[in-house]
Amino acid sequence: MRIGWIGAIWGIAGVALLIVWALVRLVPLGLGAFSHPLTPTHWTALALWIGFMAYTEGYRGFHLAFSPMVAARARYLRDHPEQAHYVALAPLFCYGLIHATRRRKVRSTLLTIAIIGFIIVIRQIEQPWRGVVDLGVVVGLTLGLASLLYFGWVALTAPRFDYPPDVPEETLRRAAARPVGGRPTGSA
């Protein structure tokens, strides 16, 4: 097996394991809501929150943005394994924290800070409301994990994968291909 394949699989698996770790910790906390009497307000909030998190976190956050980015970076690592430390740190590479454009690094760092902040705030909430929030997050993360595995499979097996890996040299290559005026070559 080529080192690039090892790095790509390790990158996707590492990010997936981070999501699984979060799910293992959150499921019991979410189910803890059911050890309390739930009112119709709790049930309504639970249904609305699960729908909201499925759409915003699972679909918009993971399926439309995060999962394709991780998969594109894994594919890039598979095809460009020249730097052994990128292969060793493949989950961080795929997450966009190393060897990424400035914009990708800022986005990935802000995402991490936002998640940590969200965790700190949610820890202050009492049950059953904490469980309601955690169950919504579990749904979003579960959809996100499925999306990540889907995009990872497609990125590593399909002949083409048309998502940008957000690596510095790709940004420079795309900029060099543009004529003066900013239009890509071949556009009308």
Side-chain angles (χ1 to χ4, degrees):
M1 197 177 236
R2 287 186 24 217
I3 190 77
W5 275 97
I6 292 169
I9 291 168
W10 164 226
I12 292 170
V15 175
L17 287 172
L18 189 64
I19 296 168
V20 168
W21 179 69
L23 286 168
V24 166
R25 293 176 49 100
L26 285 175
V27 167
L29 295 170
L31 294 176
F34 299 115
S35 65
H36 294 77
L38 298 180
T39 66
T41 302
H42 292 120
W43 286 107
T44 302
L46 178 62
L48 292 173
W49 183 247
I50 285 175
F52 176 78
M53 291 303 287
Y55 178 72
T56 59
E57 184 183 12
Y59 178 68
R60 293 205 45 172
F62 273 99
H63 195 71
L64 296 182
F66 185 76
S67 297
M69 180 271 300
V70 169
R73 292 180 62 78
R75 183 181 178 108
Y76 178 86
L77 189 57
R78 180 199 73 186
D79 296 341
H80 301 89
E82 295 85 20
Q83 301 288 331
H85 63 284
Y86 293 151
V87 173
L89 301 172
L92 295 175
F93 182 93
C94 290
Y95 193 83
L97 293 172
I98 58 174
H99 193 64
T101 61
R102 185 175 192 281
R103 182 178 179 160
R104 169 52 46 211
K105 285 181 185 177
V106 167
R107 284 179 158 186
S108 294
T109 302
L110 289 176
L111 175 65
T112 303
I113 291 168
I115 290 169
I116 292 168
F118 187 72
I119 290 168
I120 290 169
V121 169
I122 297 309
R123 283 187 173 176
Q124 308 307 312
I125 299 173
E126 296 293 325
Q127 287 287 17
W129 290 109
R130 180 174 179 176
V132 167
V133 172
D134 287 338
L135 286 172
V137 173
V138 164
V139 168
L141 287 175
T142 301
L143 293 172
L145 179 60
S147 175
L148 176 65
L149 296 175
Y150 165 77
F151 276 107
W153 175 261
V154 171
L156 297 181
T157 60
R160 290 185 52 165
F161 191 72
D162 294 327
Y163 291 92
D166 290 340
V167 291
E169 59 268 17
E170 288 292 311
T171 303
L172 294 174
R173 185 185 56 75
R174 280 194 304 261
R178 290 192 180 135
V180 178
R183 281 193 160 163
T185 49
S187 64

